[in-house]
Amino acid sequence: MASNKRKLTSFERGVPDYRRRILQALAKALFLPPLVSLAVLGLILGVPVNLLSVTIAAFSIPLTISARSYLSERAQDRAAKSLNATVIPRVKGKWPGNLDVALRIVKSFENDYVLQVFADIFREYDARTVNTRLFWHDQMITMDESVMKFVSATGFSHFEKGILWHERIDKLLGTGLFNAEGDLWKTGRAIARPFFARERISDFQIFERTATSALDLIAQRSRDVLPIDIQDLLSRFSLDSASEFLFGMKLGTLSQPLTVPGKVKLGPKGSIPIEKATKFDEFTEAFENVAVIITRRGTQGDTWPLLELFGDKTEDSIATIMNWMDPVVGRAVAEKEKRKSAGVDTAEKEDVFLDFLASKTDDVEHIRYELLTYLIASKDTTASLLTFIVYFFAMYPAVCDRLRHDILTTLGSEEPPTYDTLRNLKYLRAVINEALRLFPSAPLIARTSLNTPLVIPASQQQALYFPPKTQVMMVSLLTHRSHDLWGDDADEFRPERWLDSATTAKVNATPFMFCPFAGGPRICIGQEFALNEAGFFVVKLLQRFKSFRLAPQFQPPGSLPPAHWAGKPGRQGMEKIFPAINFTLHSKGGIWMYGDLDG
Ligand code: HEM
């Protein structure tokens, strides 16, 4: 990708430099103790600088780190006791600073079944919330629905996204809603809410054209008896739909050449061409690069800046994204000015999010961040949901048959669905829920506690002591597959469970046992929009196609489930694809499959 320099935004100029933070931390850990030791030895005890004093000074580094860590743990133990709470179990690695645990997590994210490493750690400690204590710092992970409820909803005001989050992502998302805190977030949410009102998001016109183009492509491959990478196709579908809805622009990625079966290799997420890259365009490639880097930063805890001391690896991709967006936003603002000088106020009528935003604010920089936020928040999440639904159709043909029967009985093979027909197709909603349960598109959510220690109710443990300024990673994927919550068949794809009133009553009473859209005040603002888009697409898909078959022989090398997964408990033993995370859930190397046309 071309290296493009750009002017920093005023927001970026205020973002704290991650290098300064890590260098200060290193200086504090590596230089301060030896300097103090040498000073004490020389100035107070009169020992000259020699081999002995230097050795003592060198030893002061691990000694200080261990002493600090020991003292902070004991202080927490006392604080917990005084509040009648339990200390969250600390992971005990073999190497200093749990370096081995950090490496295990990073390696597992790349090579193992998705989030298996966290499932294993929870099992090893027989707990649903643990403290990984990476590099002597508290870092909580939880799959406990009670903890998630407190962090996201009942104790919402005690948490923020936090400094670690902002360090990783601020340059990309700036003042956008996903990133915003406090009043900025409240205002952003209040401005956007009316745009997601039912009347606006029930207009399915925007999906009609893109859905038809996507289905035509599957049909063409089907007639040619060739497989298609459904993940790639659905990413294009959701990008084209999102760009039309957000920018009023036809990006047309569905008209770009598709990847060719047998001529692909493993890319950052899906399949990419072996020879000349037919990337949709620089913009989408830049997105994938940023997602890869930001996810990797997340798995490296607060030490990721060590790997980017000599350059921010997201810089080039962010420049590409921003350069692409500038003229688009510029045009919308100019349009608004024109309308203003003509005395026309169309604020509430705007059908395109960009025009709607431009009617609310003059801050071009903010509009750009906000648009980018919505594009990122909507594109890969919806694509991920649809991809796993079609995967399940191939794995469980009886589910596909039953849903197809419902759709054809209700709408026939031509009539497009409306908001009301989608609501009445109960089995459709059950299939969507079940796919989101097993593969929630955004399976990891991070928050950081504010300045005060907290006591958090836990589901199977005594209330937990939660230290101030500590990050917690909520792993909804594991909650959604918990046997304690969902029963012995928790790993099975069984949409019928959603038609059972006992299950739905339990979910209503324990909402965070199923939280693909998160919950509380920061619940996904696009939830209804996404469910409409997914429902609409699935109906159109099954009106034309009767079944789907996986084509594992076309998966690029390294993207099939490794042989040693077979026979493993849970979904790992059942999977025919390699699920992974880069920001959102996806299938490594895409999912190559055949769609069978009806008739
Ligand atoms: C299947 C599709 C989707 C899923 C599973 C999903 C999931 C989520 C989740 C879990 C969050 C909370 C993230 C966090 O707090 O860290 C979130 C937030 C958000 N989502 Fe979605 N999302 C989907 C589709 C969409 C769509 C289509 C849009 C917009 C058109 C959207 C816009 C947003 C925004 C702006 C936020 C931030 C809300 C805030 O912080 O107040 N999402 N989404």
Side-chain angles (χ1 to χ4, degrees), residues 161 177-178 185 189 196 245 373-374 377-378 381-382 385 436 441-442 445 447 516-518 522-526 529-530:
K161 293 250 167 169
L177 187 67
F178 204 72
W185 169 75
R189 188 103 191 173
F196 289 88
F245 168 67
T373 293
Y374 279 82
S378 63
T381 46
T382 315
L385 165 59
L436 282 171
S441 318
I445 292 182
R447 291 287 186 274
F517 295 98
R522 288 198 93 132
I523 194 169
C524 174
I525 200 167
F529 177 87

Side-chain angles (χ1 to χ4, degrees), residues 24 113 158 184 190 206 215 291 412 416 438 447 468 476 499 514 519 523 543 546 555 557:
Q24 276 170 353
Y113 187 74
H158 298 291
L184 184 64
I206 29 166
L215 297 178
L438 290 172
R447 291 287 186 274
S476 59
L499 306 178
F514 179 64
I523 194 169
Q543 282 178 321
K546 61 176 195 280
Q555 288 291 139

Side-chain angles (χ1 to χ4, degrees), residues 91 98-112 115 117-118 121 130-134 139 141 296 298-301 444 473:
V91 172
N98 278 355
L99 181 63
D100 54 328
V101 180
L103 290 176
R104 177 181 167 192
I105 293 174
V106 171
K107 258 175 62 190
S108 177
F109 262 69
E110 271 159 30
N111 304 319
D112 292 344
L115 295 170
V117 63
F118 288 164
I121 291 176
V130 296
N131 181 353
T132 53
R133 287 288 288 167
L134 297 184
Q139 161 75 65
I141 46 172
R296 205 166 48 213
T299 60
Q300 287 158 358
L444 285 176
M473 197 75 95

Side-chain angles (χ1 to χ4, degrees), residues 413-551:
S413 59
E414 297 289 335
E415 196 183 322
T418 62
Y419 183 87
D420 291 324
T421 39
L422 285 187
R423 287 294 158 283
N424 290 332
L425 284 165
K426 300 282 178 242
Y427 195 61
L428 171 67
R429 187 56 190 268
V431 167
I432 292 176
N433 275 356
E434 189 67 345
L436 282 171
R437 184 180 71 81
L438 290 172
F439 289 112
S441 318
L444 285 176
I445 292 182
R447 291 287 186 274
T448 300
S449 57
L450 300 177
N451 268 332
T452 33
L454 299 164
V455 176
I456 302 188
S459 63
Q460 294 178 0
Q461 289 161 283
Q462 197 193 349
L464 302 172
Y465 171 78
F466 200 93
K469 295 189 170 188
T470 300
Q471 181 169 279
V472 56
M473 197 75 95
M474 296 177 277
V475 197
S476 59
L477 180 139
L478 298 181
T479 317
H480 289 183
R481 297 180 183 192
S482 157
H483 285 220
D484 293 341
L485 292 168
W486 292 92
D488 290 344
D489 67 353
D491 295 302
E492 294 287 339
F493 178 75
R494 203 175 63 78
E496 285 70 16
R497 77 177 79 238
W498 292 96
L499 306 178
D500 169 21
S501 56
T503 304
T504 46
K506 187 170 177 187
V507 174
N508 288 337
T510 326
F512 280 81
M513 69 186 268
F514 179 64
C515 52
F517 295 98
R522 288 198 93 132
I523 194 169
C524 174
I525 200 167
Q527 171 173 357
E528 289 303 320
F529 177 87
L531 291 172
N532 285 347
E533 181 178 357
F536 182 89
F537 185 86
V538 171
V539 169
K540 299 281 285 183
L541 179 75
L542 293 189
Q543 282 178 321
R544 272 176 87 174
F545 294 86
K546 61 176 195 280
S547 56
F548 303 87
R549 286 168 293 128
L550 296 172

Side-chain angles (χ1 to χ4, degrees), residues 299-511:
T299 60
Q300 287 158 358
D302 55 1
T303 56
W304 68 263
L306 285 175
L307 298 180
E308 296 190 42
L309 272 181
F310 303 106
D312 180 335
K313 293 191 171 147
T314 60
E315 197 59 60
D316 272 358
S317 300
I318 291 180
T320 305
I321 294 170
M322 296 302 184
N323 289 342
W324 185 87
M325 293 196 64
D326 274 343
V328 182
V329 176
R331 266 200 303 277
V333 174
E335 280 295 315
K336 167 193 158 175
E337 289 308 321
K338 249 200 260 165
R339 285 195 301 268
K340 221 159 117 189
S341 40
V344 187
D345 177 15
T346 52
E348 296 313 321
K349 296 199 194 79
E350 303 296 0
D351 286 334
V352 170
F353 192 54
L354 170 58
D355 298 332
F356 175 80
L357 275 181
S359 71
K360 303 277 178 195
T361 169
D362 289 327
D363 184 344
V364 174
E365 202 178 88
H366 174 65
I367 297 176
R368 195 178 61 179
Y369 278 132
E370 202 63 303
L371 270 183
L372 195 53
T373 293
Y374 279 82
L375 193 57
I376 291 176
S378 63
K379 148 181 128 49
D380 286 347
T381 46
T382 315
S384 165
L385 165 59
L386 285 170
T387 301
F388 286 108
I389 289 177
V390 186
Y391 165 60
F392 284 131
F393 285 159
M395 288 268 284
Y396 303 86
V399 170
C400 182
D401 288 348
R402 176 167 175 186
L403 180 55
R404 188 158 193 270
H405 175 265
D406 280 8
I407 291 169
L408 294 183
T409 319
T410 316
L411 290 162
S413 59
E414 297 289 335
E415 196 183 322
T418 62
Y419 183 87
D420 291 324
T421 39
L422 285 187
R423 287 294 158 283
N424 290 332
L425 284 165
K426 300 282 178 242
Y427 195 61
L428 171 67
R429 187 56 190 268
V431 167
I432 292 176
N433 275 356
E434 189 67 345
L436 282 171
R437 184 180 71 81
L438 290 172
F439 289 112
S441 318
L444 285 176
I445 292 182
R447 291 287 186 274
T448 300
S449 57
L450 300 177
N451 268 332
T452 33
L454 299 164
V455 176
I456 302 188
S459 63
Q460 294 178 0
Q461 289 161 283
Q462 197 193 349
L464 302 172
Y465 171 78
F466 200 93
K469 295 189 170 188
T470 300
Q471 181 169 279
V472 56
M473 197 75 95
M474 296 177 277
V475 197
S476 59
L477 180 139
L478 298 181
T479 317
H480 289 183
R481 297 180 183 192
S482 157
H483 285 220
D484 293 341
L485 292 168
W486 292 92
D488 290 344
D489 67 353
D491 295 302
E492 294 287 339
F493 178 75
R494 203 175 63 78
E496 285 70 16
R497 77 177 79 238
W498 292 96
L499 306 178
D500 169 21
S501 56
T503 304
T504 46
K506 187 170 177 187
V507 174
N508 288 337
T510 326

